[in-house]
C-alpha cells in the first residue's frame, strides 16, 4: 500500500484575509487614508497654533518680544514637534485600522505595517502641502509679512530718512514727466553759461536732483554738472560760485555715502533672508524625514495591538 503524501504549508503563502483564497489586496487603503486625514488635521491645527504663538511673541517696540534667533530656534522645534505628533497619530491609526492578516509571517506583517505607516505619512504630507498652499497661505503669509515689517522697521526708517528730501523731489520730477535719464538729458540741453534767473525753486530743486541721480548711477559727479549745480545754488543762496560748488560736492559726497549705506543694508537683508530660507528648508527636510520614520514605526505598534 503506497504511503499517503504529506503536504506542508508555508505560512507566508497562506491566504491573507481570514484564510479565504483570493481575498482583498494586502494594502488597506481605507486605513491609510484615515491615518492620513488624522495626520493632516493635526498638522493644520498645530500650524495655526504655531503661527499664533509666533505672532504673539513679536513686538514692534525695542527690547520687547522674542529675538530673531529665539524665534528661529522656536520655529524649528515647533516644526519637529508638529511632525512628531501628526506622524505618530497618523501612522498609529493606519496600523490599527488595517485589515487583519491571518496566518502571515511575522516579518511580512511588520513590513506591511511599516508600509502602511509610510503611505499614510506620504498622503498626509501631500494633502497638508496642498491645504497650506490653497487655504492657509493668507494666514501664514500675513504672519511672515508682519514679522518682516517688525524686523526691518528700523532699517526702513533709516533709509527713508536718509533719502527723504531727494526722494520727494525725484517723485515730483517723475510726476511731471521729467524724471530719469531722459529728464537729465533734456535739462542739459537747455543749459546756458549761467542758470536761468526765472527758474522757480521747485524747478531748480528738481533739476539738481536729476543731476545727483544721474551722478549716483554713474558713480561720479562730472565737473560740468557740479559747476552748473553750483550756479543754481549760488543764485538761490547768494554764495560765490566757488563756495557753491564746494557745497555741491560735499552734499553729493554725503548723498553717495548714504546711498552706499542703504545698498549695504539691502544686501545684508537679502543675505539674511537667504540664510533664513535655507535654514527653514533644511529644518523642514529633517522634520519630514523624522515624520516618515515615526509614522512607519507607529504603524507597527498599532498593527501589533490590532492583532492581539
Amino acid at each position: 500500500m503506497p504511503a499517503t503524501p504529506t503536504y506542508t504549508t508555508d505560512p507566508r503563502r497562506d491566504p491573507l484575509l481570514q484564510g479565504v483564497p483570493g481575498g482583498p489586496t494586502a494594502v488597506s487603503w481605507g486605513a491609510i487614508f484615515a491615518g492620513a486625514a488624522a495626520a493632516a488635521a493635526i498638522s493644520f491645527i498645530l500650524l495655526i497654533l504655531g503661527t499664533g504663538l509666533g505672532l504673539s511673541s513679536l513686538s514692534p517696540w525695542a527690547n520687547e518680544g522674542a529675538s530673531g534667533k529665539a524665534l528661529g530656534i522656536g520655529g524649528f522645534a515647533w516644526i519637529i514637534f508638529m511632525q512628531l505628533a501628526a506622524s505618530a497619530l497618523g501612522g498609529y491609526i493606519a496600523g490599527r485600522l488595517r485589515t487583519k492578516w491571518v496566518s502571515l509571517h511575522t516579518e511580512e506583517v511588520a513590513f506591511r505595517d511599516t508600509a502602511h505607516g509610510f503611505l499614510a505619512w506620504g498622503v498626509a504630507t501631500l494633502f497638508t502641502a496642498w491645504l497650506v498652499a490653497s487655504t492657509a497661505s493668507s494666514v501664514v503669509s500675513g504672519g511672515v509679512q508682519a514679522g518682516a515689517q517688525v524686523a526691518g522697521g528700523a532699517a526702513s526708517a533709516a533709509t527713508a530718512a536718509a533719502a527723504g528730501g531727494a526722494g520727494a523731489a525725484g517723485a515730483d520730477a517723475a510726476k511731471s514727466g521729467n524724471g530719469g535719464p531722459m529728464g537729465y538729458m533734456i535739462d542739459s540741453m537747455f543749459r546756458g553759461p549761467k542758470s536761468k534767473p526765472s527758474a522757480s525753486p521747485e524747478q531748480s530743486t528738481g533739476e539738481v536732483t536729476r543731476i545727483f541721480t544721474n551722478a549716483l548711477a554713474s558713480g561720479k559727479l562730472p565737473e560740468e554738472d557740479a559747476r552748473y549745480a553750483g550756479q543754481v545754488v549760488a543764485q538761490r543762496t547768494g554764495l560765490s560760485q566757488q563756495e557753491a560748488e564746494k557745497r555741491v560736492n560735499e552734499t553729493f559726497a554725503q548723498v553717495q555715502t548714504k546711498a552706499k549705506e542703504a545698498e549695504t543694508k539691502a544686501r545684508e537683508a537679502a543675505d539674511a533672508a537667504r540664510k533664513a530660507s535655507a535654514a527653514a528648508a533644511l529644518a523642514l527636510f529633517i522634520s519630514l524625514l523624522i515624520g516618515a520614520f515615526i509614522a512607519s514605526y507607529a504603524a507597527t505598534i498599532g498593527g501589533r495591538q490590532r492583532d492581539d
Side-chain angles (χ1 to χ4, degrees), residues 13 87 96 161 170 187 194 249 292 301:
R13 300 179 181 272
S87 300
R96 188 67 182 267
D187 290 340
K194 295 183 180 181
N249 290 322
I301 298 176

Side-chain angles (χ1 to χ4, degrees), residues 274-296:
R274 176 190 62 82
K275 292 180 179 179
S277 300
L282 291 176
L284 184 60
F285 171 76
I286 294 174
S287 66
L288 289 175
L289 286 182
I290 294 176
F293 174 79
I294 294 298
S296 302

Side-chain angles (χ1 to χ4, degrees), residues 73-88:
I73 296 175
F76 176 77
W78 187 260
I79 291 175
I80 296 295
F81 169 74
M82 185 173 65
Q83 275 292 316
L84 288 175
S87 300

Side-chain angles (χ1 to χ4, degrees), residues 85-111:
S87 300
L89 178 62
Y92 179 82
I93 290 179
R96 188 67 182 267
L97 296 182
R98 53 90 172 158
T99 302
K100 183 177 181 180
W101 299 302
V102 179
S103 301
L104 192 65
H105 196 273
T106 304
E107 295 180 357
E108 183 67 16
V109 173
F111 171 79

